[in-house]
Amino acid sequence: MSQQRYDYLIVGSGLFGAVFAYKAKQAGKQVLVIDKRPHLGGNVACNNIADINVHQYGAHIFHTSNREVWDFVNSFVPFNRYTNSPLANYKGKLFNLPFNMNTFYALWGISRPEEAQAKIEQERKEAGITEARNLEEQAVSLVGKTIYELLIKGYTEKQWGRSCNTLPAFIIKRLPVRFTFDNNYFDDDYQGIPKGGYNKLIDGLLADIETKTDMDFLEKQDYCESIADQIVYTGRIDEFYAYCYGALEYRSLRFETHTLDCANYQGNAVVNYTDRETPYTRIIEHKHFEAGNQPQTVITKEYPLEWEKGAEPFYPINNESNMRIYARYQQLAEHEKNVIFGGRLGEYRYYDMDEVIEKALLAWSRTECHAYGSFISGRRVS
Ligand code: UDP
């Protein structure tokens, strides 16, 4: 029997791969999705423990201001109204995040926005930063030294394993600063968790698509390339090119998950531990993502780790030296005729889920335009 050929072989079944696969399948293409893990869904995959959807690769909270993306994901599974309002625990004292009037009140007993603005302005002035060149300077110029010391420095240095003055400023710009009593972590128009967990989203995207788990592209590269016209690669770009320009750095995580015989452990889905001494950065209590009322609860402690071979690369470290290396890989990628790179690892970008979906939709429409363009020019020639 001859080997089936595919229009697209999609390497990695996370959001980029699954969205691209869905669009290609809808357009009538032959698609195969492979994943080296034993399950589909990449890092959004959930694990059911004690009837609770456990985010097995860390908390995934969907938020977007892109209506098209929001409607797209909701067409597979309705999303609930979960609003992320994490707490920060600094040496036993709790503060609201993101930085807002509740935080300033707990810190300084200040209840009016004007007073909080003046306090932060004074701390900013004392720091004398004119242009923020790194995360530390960016943080101090956004929220002043006190908040930086209590709620940012320890957490960030644990999370990234690097000093704040060597990290890129953009990381801290992910967090809003507000002079209202609003604990919503995100500024986006839409936010929520798929009702019944993320596996429903992945199942919807990959329904009727051929998939193979436990299949490592790089171990079977010749075979994989021989069965498909186009490859969509969502693994690490440096690994794809056999580290020819050197390895890119990533940050990894270790998760310690416990099932507890109590109904409610911490009263919130996310509690960050912002001191330097606590070895984990946060504790996730998964049932609160879906307002669960199961008799037990499942919590996960998240320990940051430096990435090394065999570990999962969760966060790209987008500092200058890594970005220089990445630019060289990107040049190679731009010359590929049959390979599209996408996702956090394929593009070495600290993407949120909605951005990954946007990029996958864009990649698909570009591919389609390109195919249509060659079809038109082919007709002109003939
Ligand atoms: N951050 C912090 N204190 C906190 C939470 C976040 O200093 O309590 C900083 C930290 O540098 C982190 C960045 O903000 O890497 C982005 O946080 P976010 O919650 O967006 O990260 P993610 O959920 O992607 O890990």
Side-chain angles (χ1 to χ4, degrees), residues 97 135 151-152 155-156 159-160 171-172 174-175 185 272 274 282 315 350:
L97 292 174
L135 194 152
L151 303 181
I152 298 177
Y155 185 99
T156 300
Q159 165 72 4
W160 295 96
I171 294 176
I172 204 68
R174 292 168 61 86
L175 272 66
Y185 199 60
N272 293 354
T274 59
R282 49 192 169 193
Y315 297 91
Y350 188 2

Side-chain angles (χ1 to χ4, degrees), residues 125-294:
K125 272 210 186 109
E126 280 165 15
I129 296 160
T130 45
E131 190 202 346
R133 289 160 305 174
N134 54 52
L135 194 152
E136 176 174 299
E137 293 180 357
Q138 183 67 65
V140 173
S141 57
L142 278 175
V143 288
K145 193 133 184 149
T146 309
I147 293 181
Y148 169 68
E149 299 281 353
L150 266 56
L151 303 181
I152 298 177
K153 190 176 192 306
Y155 185 99
T156 300
E157 295 193 347
K158 283 192 286 192
Q159 165 72 4
W160 295 96
R162 284 154 179 76
S163 154
C164 286
N165 56 23
T166 65
L167 286 164
F170 82 86
I171 294 176
I172 204 68
K173 288 198 203 145
R174 292 168 61 86
L175 272 66
V177 181
R178 293 196 196 106
F179 294 93
T180 53
F181 290 89
D182 177 1
N183 294 328
N184 183 348
Y185 199 60
F186 301 116
D187 279 330
D188 285 314
D189 294 345
Y190 313 104
Q191 175 173 185
I193 303 283
K195 287 186 181 173
Y198 281 91
N199 293 2
K200 295 215 164 174
L201 174 61
I202 295 297
D203 291 348
L205 286 164
L206 295 178
D208 307 322
I209 293 176
E210 198 183 332
T211 58
K212 276 193 191 138
T213 49
D214 290 309
M215 182 159 173
D216 188 335
F217 173 86
L218 294 174
E219 275 174 14
K220 297 187 176 153
Q221 187 159 355
D222 290 345
Y223 166 75
C224 288
E225 286 174 349
S226 75
I227 61 170
D229 294 342
Q230 290 274 331
I231 309 282
V232 175
Y233 193 79
T234 71
R236 303 202 308 272
I237 191 167
D238 54 339
E239 190 180 28
F240 182 90
Y241 288 114
Y243 306 105
C244 64
Y245 297 135
L248 292 166
E249 291 176 302
Y250 301 86
R251 199 70 183 145
S252 192
L253 298 169
R254 178 171 71 81
F255 300 106
E256 197 183 279
T257 296
H258 303 276
T259 305
L260 306 178
D261 277 325
C262 72
N264 188 359
Y265 173 73
Q266 63 183 16
N268 207 35
V270 184
V271 179
N272 293 354
Y273 286 77
T274 59
D275 65 294
R276 190 70 190 82
E277 294 73 30
T278 306
Y280 42 86
T281 47
R282 49 192 169 193
I283 300 183
I284 306 302
E285 187 170 9
H286 303 266
K287 71 191 315 179
H288 298 308
F289 288 130
E290 297 183 65
N293 55 9
Q294 298 86 346

